[in-house]
Amino acid sequence: MSNTPTTSADVIRQFYTELERIGRVTENSTRIVNGTLRAQVAQTPKQTIWSLNKASLYHYYPQVPAEKRHRVPILLVFALINRPYIFDLRPGNSFVEYMLNQGHDVYLLDWGSPGPEDADMTFEDYALDYLPRAIRVLQRHSGSREFSFVGWCIGALLTTIYAAMRPNNGLRNMVTLTAPLDFSHKQEMGPFPRWLQAEYFNIDALLDQTGNMPGALIDVGSKLLKPVENYLGNNLRLLDNLDDPKIIEAWQAMNTWVTDDVPFAGAAYRQLIVEFYRENRLMAGKLRMQGEIVDVGKIKANLLNIIAEQDHIVPPCQSRGFLEQTSSADKRELRLKGGHIGIMAGSGARRQCWPQIDVWLAERSKR
Amino acid sequence: MTKSQSLETLNPFMMMRSLRDATLETWSKTAIDAVNTDLFAQWLGAYMNTSLAASAPIQRVLDQYMQAVLPRLNMPSRDEVTGVARRLTNIEMRLDDLDGRIDDILQAVRTEPAAPVVAEQSIAPVVDARLQAIEARLDTLLTAIQSISMVTPTQAAETPKRPARRSNRKPATPAEE
């Protein structure tokens, strides 16, 4: 530098910079506390084309002309925990927006929030009753019998059940993201299998009182996996960056989604704990639905299984052996750096994960 | 080291932040290990059971009270509302089934007439051309037969006279008959 400032001038400049920062921090923290700094989530334009009970099927308005669009439409299926707008978190950081711009025709299935009257709903109802109905509407609306799945977390478990039970119903491609399919590696699965053992966790007593599994309890369970980071670290990181509008916006959007929890239908939750976590029925070939064994060996759609290497909720061991059990001729496993949610909704997803899904699907969505 | 870096190093807030982050990291690792134990799982289960046992009598009393009060206020109970909601869902399901069947029927109706139209458009000119060619040949044959019958009149008298074939598309006039 040509005119090097003196040390005292530096200190004064730093002092004023710090004062400005404190001003911004005060303003932003006040706005967060009084609720005027709200995150704009799920902003991509869409229309509801079907609804049944609490479930809805959305179609996002295409962003490219019909002649440049990929022929096979995509159906996004999220978990039964939290809301599916994580696929369309905020403008500029939305998987839906990205895929539309790449020429895909995108549909999203929203399971909704189950009420006390839905406490009897099971995985069978979701995968083999609601999902086929939504697919029928998608096929009619898009004019294409063939379609692709992008299933995330329990959404991937549901799409896997569907793919095994309805292999000839037009499913061409399936992307499974952080899918909890294999529950046999109890030692590698983190604390969940330990907490959910029958001798400690009385699922019947809980559901007898609550009907459905309250979303707040599921949220506490997930946060307890990394208690210090979730209850302290995240808030301190926000405190450190209260002068940065971009970081605040990202934090607000994610916090809105994390705290927007929904109950888990009671019967389905019991199934998740007993038939999946404790007995690993799907991979053991003992899961029965509509009187038939759910055989993943019958899956023949093209498969892309994406594993998040730092996933502490669904560790890699829960889906790494999945592809070998299927009959698909075209299958690929993709391991990416990131956590359970960060892999698709984090700041690096646009560079790392989304392009891979786009290219893989585009190559398999031609005539 | 630049001056700004040296200032940052001397900044007490930065030093406190670094210390805080290091402490949090240590706590985090310890906490992650602590929750992944049988002891924690046992405590979590015991905590949940105690909470459920404590809240169960209160919930039971509340339910009994509501069951007694709501009918007197001419209001439905939770079970009744839930029952109505279930029936609504069943009706919705049936409507969705009907919607699906109507779709199938409409699809069938839309596709059925399309096939003959396409067939007529593509096949009719070909058939017409072939019929005309056959008629032309028959006319040639008839002319040939007539010329032969003129040569041998006795044989021609024994052969019945056959009218010339016309295309189906042109109705025969009384004069031609």
Side-chain angles (χ1 to χ4, degrees), chain A residues 50-182:
Chain A
W50 172 83
S51 66
L52 178 64
N53 194 6
K54 312 297 182 321
S56 302
L57 180 66
Y58 306 121
H59 177 237
Y60 289 92
Y61 293 111
Q63 298 296 313
V64 299
E67 63 273 13
K68 289 183 181 173
R69 232 175 283 154
H70 300 294
R71 192 184 61 87
V72 182
I74 302 171
L75 177 59
L76 308 177
V77 183
F78 191 61
L80 303 171
I81 299 168
N82 285 76
R83 304 274 184 179
Y85 64 76
I86 188 72
F87 277 118
D88 181 28
L89 193 57
R90 62 193 171 93
N93 191 34
S94 157
F95 176 68
V96 170
E97 183 189 74
Y98 178 85
M99 293 300 273
L100 288 174
N101 289 332
Q102 302 305 312
H104 294 277
D105 196 12
V106 182
Y107 293 79
L108 172 74
L109 181 57
D110 183 350
W111 297 114
S113 179
E117 68 277 13
D118 302 311
D120 295 335
M121 281 187 69
T122 60
F123 272 82
E124 196 170 324
D125 295 320
Y126 285 114
L128 302 178
D129 199 356
Y130 281 63
L131 201 47
R133 289 168 190 270
I135 288 164
R136 173 178 59 75
V137 177
L138 177 148
Q139 288 171 328
R140 179 184 65 189
H141 188 266
S142 65
S144 166
R145 188 176 178 275
E146 289 190 312
F147 63 95
S148 302
F149 269 143
V150 175
W152 189 355
C153 187
I154 292 173
L157 176 56
L158 291 167
T159 57
T160 302
I161 292 169
Y162 177 89
M165 297 290 280
R166 305 273 187 277
N168 301 315
N169 204 16
L171 176 61
R172 182 158 170 181
N173 310 303
M174 182 162 80
V175 180
T176 48
L177 288 154
T178 63
L181 302 171
D182 187 355

Side-chain angles (χ1 to χ4, degrees), chain A residues 152-153 177-180 308 310-314 338-344:
Chain A
W152 189 355
C153 187
L177 288 154
T178 63
Q310 279 77 43
D311 193 344
H312 65 289
I313 296 173
V314 180
H340 190 67
I341 299 300
I343 192 175
M344 278 290 280

Side-chain angles (χ1 to χ4, degrees), chain B residues 18-32:
Chain B
S18 305
L19 187 69
R20 181 202 71 190
D21 288 345
T23 312
L24 275 181
E25 208 175 315
T26 314
W27 284 3
S28 181
K29 281 176 185 166
T30 312
I32 288 169

Side-chain angles (χ1 to χ4, degrees), chain B residues 8 11-24:
Chain B
E8 274 185 18
N11 184 345
F13 291 105
M14 290 301 288
M15 287 166 69
M16 279 169 66
R17 191 179 289 181
S18 305
L19 187 69
R20 181 202 71 190
D21 288 345
T23 312
L24 275 181

Side-chain angles (χ1 to χ4, degrees), chain A residues 141-360:
Chain A
H141 188 266
S142 65
S144 166
R145 188 176 178 275
E146 289 190 312
F147 63 95
S148 302
F149 269 143
V150 175
W152 189 355
C153 187
I154 292 173
L157 176 56
L158 291 167
T159 57
T160 302
I161 292 169
Y162 177 89
M165 297 290 280
R166 305 273 187 277
N168 301 315
N169 204 16
L171 176 61
R172 182 158 170 181
N173 310 303
M174 182 162 80
V175 180
T176 48
L177 288 154
T178 63
L181 302 171
D182 187 355
F183 297 82
S184 62
H185 309 279
K186 300 264 189 279
Q187 292 302 317
E188 295 174 61
M189 279 171 61
F192 273 151
R194 209 182 285 272
W195 297 352
L196 299 173
Q197 286 176 84
E199 56 185 306
Y200 303 138
F201 185 59
N202 190 345
I203 179 78
D204 294 322
L206 176 65
L207 293 178
D208 281 350
Q209 269 198 33
T210 58
N212 291 323
M213 180 66 179
L217 273 186
I218 297 173
D219 183 45
V220 168
S222 304
K223 283 181 176 164
L224 276 179
L225 292 171
K226 286 186 173 179
V228 175
E229 202 167 310
N230 287 322
Y231 287 108
L232 268 176
N234 283 345
N235 294 319
L236 286 174
R237 248 193 304 281
L238 172 70
L239 206 65
D240 291 343
N241 294 291
L242 272 173
D243 58 331
D244 188 335
K246 281 185 180 172
I247 292 181
I248 291 176
E249 196 189 337
W251 186 90
Q252 275 283 87
M254 188 54 83
N255 191 56
T256 302
W257 179 78
V258 167
T259 52
D260 193 4
D261 45 46
V262 291
F264 202 119
Y269 189 73
R270 184 182 278 109
Q271 245 181 326
L272 179 70
I273 303 305
V274 177
E275 296 183 16
F276 292 100
Y277 267 98
R278 290 181 187 161
E279 299 174 1
N280 188 31
R281 286 196 194 174
L282 178 66
M283 283 297 155
K286 292 176 182 169
L287 184 68
R288 241 174 213 287
M289 285 191 179
Q290 294 185 343
E292 282 179 52
I293 292 284
V294 181
D295 180 7
V296 292
K298 287 184 180 167
I299 299 176
K300 54 186 185 181
N302 303 322
L303 289 177
L304 175 64
N305 184 32
I306 299 180
I307 292 173
E309 285 182 334
Q310 279 77 43
D311 193 344
H312 65 289
I313 296 173
V314 180
C317 65
Q318 288 200 257
S319 58
R320 69 179 170 217
F322 164 59
L323 293 183
E324 292 153 22
Q325 295 206 23
T326 64
S327 308
S328 308
D330 179 357
K331 46 191 170 185
R332 185 186 167 203
E333 185 177 284
L334 182 63
R335 284 174 174 259
L336 297 173
K337 283 183 182 171
H340 190 67
I341 299 300
I343 192 175
M344 278 290 280
S347 55
R350 175 176 281 274
R351 294 187 309 275
Q352 213 187 359
C353 186
W354 300 349
Q356 305 246 29
I357 297 175
D358 162 44
V359 170
W360 189 85

